[in-house]
Amino acid sequence: MTKLLALGLLTLTACTAPAPESTDPATSETATPAESTPAETDTAGEQPSAELGGTLRVISHDSFTLSDGMLDQFQQETGVKVERIEAGDAGEMLNRLILTKQAPLADVVYGLDNSMLPRAQAEDLLTPYRSPALDSVPEEYRLDEDGLLNTVDYGVVALNYDRAAWDETGLPLPGTLDQLNDPEYASNLVIPSPATSSPGLAFLLATVNELGEEGAWAWWNEAETNGMKIVGGWSDAYYTEFTRAGGAYPLVLSYGSSPAAEVFFAEGYDPAKIPSESPTANLFIPGTTALQLEGVGILKGSENEAAARAFVDWMLSEKVQADIPTNMWVYPAVEGTKLDPVFALAEETDVAPFEAELTEDPQALIDAWVENVQRK
Amino acid sequence: MTRSSAAGLLPSSLTGWLVALPSLVFLTLMLVLPLGRTLTEGGLQLGVWGQDYFQGRLAWTLWQAGLTAGLALLVGVPLAYLLSRYRLPGGDTLLRLLLLPFVTPVLVAALGLNALLGPRGWLSDWLPFSPSDGPLLILLGNLFFNLPVMIRLSYGGFSRISPSLIGAARTLGAGGWGAALRVGLPLALPGIAAGAILTFLYSALSFGLPLILGGARYATLEVEIYTLTAYQLRLGEASALIAGQLLLTLVATWVYVGLTAQGSGTPTRVRPRATGGPLWLGLALTAVVFTLCFVPLLAVVARSLLGSAGPTLAYWQAVLSDPATLHFVGNTVRFGLLALIGATLLGGLHALGAWLARARTLDLLSLLPLMVSPVSLAVGYLLAYPRLAATLPMLLAAYTLLAYPLVTRSVLPALRALPPRTLEAAHTLGAGSLAAHRTVTLPLTLPALRGGAALSLATVLGEFGATLVLTRPEWATLSVGLYQRLGRPGDTNLGEACALATILLLLAAGTFWLLDGGKGEVT
């Protein structure tokens, strides 16, 4: 018996012997253990920086991905060992940072957005550092001029519909927010909850921006009564409720770039033969869209501020900016960055950022939403 | 509460507490202190319990958990009885595979249930109603996860009844079902009640499932705690809910511990082949369990092989040629085994201690990790150990914490079932206490230890602890890789996520086969 058990465990470990760390392709984005000091490379990069050295702890939401080897380049150029920490989604991350203010979890943070900046400011989480590259970011996309957060990318939260499934409903597309909560439309719409997801929160802000608070609660309650479904997060909405995944709802809250991603991640995608149309499409109804600006900033109490600054600059560098779109399905903030041709399938729309007072205290809005909608 | 035993110099209750000391220290550091930090951070704002909304949440939480337990009893108990009395076709395989739902990540379960019962689901055409909205889907999801627990526990209860007892009842004129009801049921009651209470607890505390399947309307208390804690940072209100929930689970667990302490007897393994009524009922119930617990998983496997234009191997090719996949598997196995070692040691010692001390309190303490809201621990770790929050030891400790109760629950009944004379005999023949345990206790409890190990490995594979601590990309496991893919739109992401889920299920099935053989019993 015991022998059998030991044997079983042995074969288990043997079959799946962990790959040696140094040749670990899966995590080339992450630090390789500093077995030796990094080679002194004469970087022929755009911005040769001094050897900074040390360790840099980078905290981000779970969706932070770059192409393999990108972070290695940063480590080679600067001699800084990067330790990446993932802290759930952006909302959870903000709260974790607030809870650990006294003993910061990291030196630099990526992924806080415009709806979170006021709270991060009020909690005094960030140290200002304005990257020179911020000058190349259009003014309306800058999160703040002091560089508490430097905008890295932006996205538009927007409704998407499944073309084939929508045709089956035989309905014309809704054109106004007012129509959207009628029974025939609301019963076809699924959205992630404002209380537990950042696109959901963006949608809530958009409705309040359009209708005012009282009007928004009335709209939401009507929509819920008429069959709009509210689920936990984006994945739940998109992969269990949306008709593309076999759900019942042909209308889902997602991002402006999602139709392009649908094509990019379609079976047998060939970059040379991009189809003329995506199976899904955006539906930009006024009062349902929101501009999300994501930024990178230095955390107060950082133990390696020089390296943190270099990292902020690097996130806005040409290489990283060009790498971001097909990894994270957002738009690069620096003007003139080349986009992958597949992005032609994502309609761009001009969405102005919300007024500052709307995003002053999103938490209070969420609380009010919970009070007036969820708990009704 | 405690008694002194004749064997040994120390009163055995003290010995028991001493043996369990390492697990108690671990519990204090990993659960009691962090939980305390969370509760004191925001203060207990007990006023929330006065709000209709939260009372409604509590009512719904209890209602859905109670209904799940009731349905699980209805399906699970007769099937467990038949499995323990007769050889049913595929019965042993079923018992073994019943561990699979246990490791399924919640989002994967939701995908599978959706493929089965969603608007275009395989079963939906046969049903007169649409279960895709409303509480029914949550109930079915609860059953998917908990029916296996119910069946395995009741099976353990029934298989401890000597068939000669049932035989005697039949000789005295009781019919087959009469004997089962009048003799079998009362004797197996501890196991059955244990299954029902555990099902109730798991369903009452479930959070991923109602969050994903139910939407805001069907939020359980745990979902509210999660939202208030992780997103709204309203720790005072959350703490009041956490404390209330803990009180509730304590009561249920106290009852449970009392019930399971009575179980004893030796399992029997000689069973006749089923024929006639038992055979047909057994097959019908097996079909129900198969539909609820395995068809959703098969749907996920099928999805990994079905593209938009028919069958395809593209998703598998992509996953198998991706170097990251091997890394995910490596991490999953590595963390799983490390946590398994910790859980086996701590869980085994805790069980031994609880058995020696015969202390209900000690027994109850081993269940604490299953009773505490994970998100409240996550906050507690950040507050108590901010410097360790993103370290590997912390991650492994969190996994161990969630896995070790299952080892204790498996080993305890086996210890209690030890023939009391055997140890004394070993002593008489000159074996010291330790030697007696090594030569008598260990071999006799080994099958149970293996069963517990399989279950605890399942918790790690199923990634219940991922939300407890901060992680790093280099620690990504299979389920992390799977969730990453489900965070982006597009067919290939869904297909590859389903392929990864299939790998996870195969890995789990393989380890259960090696560790447990389907015979393990848990209480």
Side-chain angles (χ1 to χ4, degrees):
Chain A
M1 287 288 229
T2 5
K3 279 203 186 104
L4 200 142
L5 177 70
L7 196 76
L9 293 184
L10 270 178
T11 39
L12 249 185
T13 31
C15 298
T16 51
E21 297 272 352
S22 49
T23 56
D24 205 286
T27 52
S28 40
E29 293 174 30
T30 58
T32 39
E35 288 145 20
S36 56
T37 46
E40 301 277 329
T41 42
D42 271 344
T43 44
E46 312 116 58
Q47 23 169 197
S49 52
E51 284 283 330
L52 293 157
T55 302
L56 182 73
R57 295 167 305 157
V58 177
I59 199 166
S60 71
H61 51 52
D62 296 344
S63 317
F64 178 29
T65 43
L66 293 172
S67 295
D68 286 353
M70 287 296 283
L71 266 168
D72 288 351
Q73 287 181 22
F74 173 75
Q75 301 189 105
Q76 276 161 10
E77 284 165 19
T78 57
V80 173
K81 177 174 176 264
V82 175
E83 276 181 8
R84 277 196 49 196
I85 300 169
E86 293 180 338
D89 71 16
E92 285 177 285
M93 175 168 76
L94 173 63
N95 284 331
R96 285 178 158 160
L97 291 172
I98 291 170
L99 282 171
T100 53
K101 247 188 336 194
Q102 307 310 328
L105 296 168
D107 303 300
V108 73
V109 55
Y110 162 73
L112 292 177
D113 70 23
N114 46 326
S115 69
M116 298 165 191
L117 179 60
R119 200 149 153 249
Q121 243 170 322
E123 294 281 352
D124 200 19
L125 290 180
L126 301 159
T127 294
Y129 164 66
R130 192 183 189 286
S131 171
L134 200 64
D135 290 340
S136 327
V137 172
E139 225 166 298
E140 66 267 26
Y141 290 154
R142 291 180 203 163
L143 279 151
D144 71 307
E145 287 300 337
D146 307 332
L148 287 173
L149 284 178
N150 295 265
T151 312
V152 172
D153 55 73
Y154 65 93
V156 172
V157 172
L159 295 173
N160 280 208
Y161 64 96
D162 175 349
R163 287 182 198 266
W166 192 266
D167 285 346
E168 277 175 39
T169 65
L171 293 165
L173 286 165
T176 63
L177 191 54
D178 222 20
Q179 273 181 308
L180 193 61
N181 67 3
D182 292 347
E184 69 266 36
Y185 293 124
S187 61
N188 282 317
L189 170 63
V190 59
I191 63 162
S193 164
T196 50
S197 95
S198 61
L201 171 57
F203 186 77
L204 169 68
L205 292 172
T207 55
V208 172
N209 192 41
E210 184 79 6
L211 307 166
E213 275 193 55
E214 290 312 310
W217 309 148
W219 183 92
W220 279 81
N221 282 314
E222 177 96 7
E224 269 224 278
T225 310
N226 288 336
M228 175 173 80
K229 184 156 192 184
I230 302 173
V231 291
W234 180 89
S235 299
D236 318 335
Y238 206 89
Y239 280 121
T240 61
E241 307 294 345
F242 189 36
T243 40
R244 287 277 303 159
Y249 300 83
L251 194 53
V252 65
L253 183 74
S254 189
Y255 293 88
S257 62
S258 303
E262 277 282 351
V263 169
F264 187 85
F265 289 116
E267 203 190 322
Y269 167 69
D270 177 359
K273 291 200 286 263
I274 295 178
S276 60
E277 191 178 75
S278 167
T280 63
N282 299 125
L283 183 62
F284 297 125
I285 296 175
T288 64
T289 54
L291 182 71
Q292 237 180 344
L293 307 164
E294 288 189 298
V296 61
I298 300 174
L299 285 162
K300 202 155 244 177
S302 158
E303 288 159 13
N304 194 348
E305 209 161 318
R309 289 176 176 211
F311 185 82
V312 170
D313 291 342
W314 182 75
M315 285 295 282
L316 280 99
S317 70
E318 208 175 313
K319 277 193 310 253
V320 179
Q321 287 287 303
D323 190 56
I324 282 175
T326 50
N327 276 297
M328 293 194 269
W329 297 95
V330 286
Y331 292 91
V334 171
E335 237 172 348
T337 308
K338 248 180 71 91
L339 271 177
D340 188 288
V342 78
F343 268 78
L345 292 167
E347 291 173 76
E348 274 238 57
T349 180
D350 250 341
V351 179
F354 295 127
E355 296 296 325
E357 61 254 35
L358 183 66
T359 51
E360 193 69 41
D361 190 3
Q363 196 49 55
L365 268 184
I366 294 173
D367 291 350
W369 175 85
V370 166
E371 219 53 61
N372 290 292
V373 179
Q374 193 178 327
R375 297 185 187 171
K376 272 287 185 247
Chain B
M1 279 311 293
T2 55
R3 294 201 305 243
S4 297
S5 82
L9 297 172
L10 281 167
S12 65
S13 66
L14 184 61
T15 320
W17 284 90
L18 279 176
V19 168
L21 194 61
S23 348
L24 294 176
V25 171
F26 179 77
L27 264 187
T28 309
L29 288 175
M30 287 300 294
L31 191 143
V32 180
L33 284 178
L35 183 67
R37 277 302 303 267
T38 306
L39 294 179
T40 50
E41 183 75 10
L44 287 174
Q45 293 181 20
L46 292 169
V48 290
W49 284 112
Q51 293 176 27
D52 288 351
Y53 175 77
F54 286 111
Q55 289 171 8
R57 289 289 134 225
L58 174 66
W60 155 247
T61 302
L62 296 176
W63 189 84
Q64 57 100 27
L67 203 58
T68 304
L71 289 170
L73 279 168
L74 214 60
V75 177
V77 172
L79 181 60
Y81 173 74
L82 293 171
L83 284 170
S84 72
R85 286 273 293 144
Y86 303 100
R87 284 205 308 279
L88 283 170
D92 287 348
T93 314
L94 180 78
L95 277 174
R96 250 186 225 130
L97 289 178
L98 275 176
L99 281 169
L100 281 184
F102 217 74
V103 299
T104 309
V106 181
L107 197 49
V108 174
L111 288 176
L113 283 164
N114 214 45
L116 183 67
L117 295 158
R120 297 188 218 157
W122 306 353
L123 264 188
S124 302
D125 298 344
W126 304 84
L127 292 172
F129 51 88
S130 157
S132 65
D133 274 325
L136 189 65
L137 201 59
I138 294 184
L139 283 176
L140 292 173
N142 279 342
L143 282 174
F144 167 84
F145 284 113
N146 291 301
L147 204 49
V149 177
M150 187 75 227
I151 294 171
R152 283 183 65 115
L153 282 163
S154 318
Y155 173 81
F158 281 121
S159 59
R160 294 202 175 283
I161 305 167
S162 159
S164 55
L165 274 174
I166 306 239
R170 298 198 58 169
T171 318
L172 294 172
W177 291 112
L181 279 175
R182 267 180 260 151
V183 181
L185 204 57
L187 283 169
L189 203 57
I192 296 170
I197 291 179
L198 212 54
T199 299
F200 178 85
L201 267 183
Y202 271 131
S203 313
L205 293 182
S206 73
F207 119 92
L209 203 69
L211 191 71
I212 290 177
L213 292 177
R217 274 180 196 282
Y218 301 108
T220 52
L221 267 188
E222 186 61 36
V223 172
E224 291 295 337
I225 290 171
Y226 169 74
T227 311
L228 285 170
T229 309
Y231 285 93
Q232 304 182 23
L233 217 52
R234 289 159 73 169
L235 294 180
E237 287 156 308
S239 294
L241 296 184
I242 292 165
Q245 186 169 279
L246 193 58
L247 210 62
L248 191 93
T249 50
L250 271 172
V251 171
T253 313
W254 186 247
V255 176
Y256 165 86
V257 168
L259 284 168
T260 50
Q262 306 159 14
S264 71
T266 359
T268 145
R269 290 278 169 250
V270 195
R271 293 167 304 166
R273 193 181 293 280
T275 51
L279 174 68
W280 292 114
L281 182 69
L283 287 177
L285 289 170
T286 305
V288 171
V289 173
F290 184 80
T291 307
L292 276 177
C293 297
F294 299 125
V295 175
L297 296 177
L298 288 174
V300 170
V301 176
R303 265 215 163 131
S304 73
L305 294 162
L306 283 174
S308 44
T312 176
L313 288 172
Y315 304 140
W316 277 96
Q317 275 162 355
V319 160
L320 294 177
S321 63
D322 184 355
T325 306
L326 188 64
H327 180 76
F328 292 152
V329 172
N331 273 344
T332 305
V333 172
R334 224 179 329 177
F335 297 160
L337 289 177
L338 286 167
L340 182 62
I341 293 166
T344 308
L345 278 175
L346 290 170
L349 284 175
H350 200 133
L352 197 60
W355 173 60
L356 287 171
R358 290 190 179 81
R360 201 168 167 183
T361 317
L362 205 47
D363 197 350
L364 177 83
L365 285 176
S366 78
L367 279 157
L368 263 187
L370 300 182
M371 296 155 47
V372 173
S373 139
V375 70
S376 58
L377 283 184
V379 168
Y381 292 154
L382 281 180
L383 293 169
Y385 317 115
R387 280 271 164 235
L388 297 173
T391 57
L392 200 54
M394 198 72 197
L395 180 77
L396 293 173
Y399 279 145
T400 304
L401 179 81
L402 293 171
Y404 105 78
L406 294 160
V407 177
T408 308
R409 304 327 300 166
S410 303
V411 175
L412 250 181
L415 286 170
R416 285 175 178 147
L418 282 179
R421 304 263 168 251
T422 330
L423 272 178
E424 283 168 35
H427 278 298
T428 321
L429 294 171
S433 263
L434 271 179
H437 279 313
R438 204 186 59 237
T439 53
V440 178
T441 316
L442 194 61
L444 283 173
T445 52
L446 195 67
L449 195 62
R450 289 173 52 184
L455 271 175
S456 71
L457 193 61
T459 43
V460 179
L461 292 177
E463 202 69 41
F464 300 154
T467 48
L468 276 184
V469 287
L470 298 170
T471 60
R472 296 200 175 165
E474 59 266 42
W475 302 339
T477 55
L478 273 170
S479 39
V480 172
L482 181 155
Y483 273 86
Q484 263 171 8
R485 281 186 166 78
L486 288 176
R488 293 187 299 244
D491 281 341
T492 50
N493 283 314
L494 181 58
E496 288 173 25
C498 289
L500 286 175
T502 308
I503 294 176
L504 180 69
L505 292 169
L506 289 172
L507 191 68
T511 43
F512 296 157
W513 220 270
L514 285 170
L515 280 172
D516 166 60
K519 303 280 188 270
E521 180 196 347
V522 187
T523 68

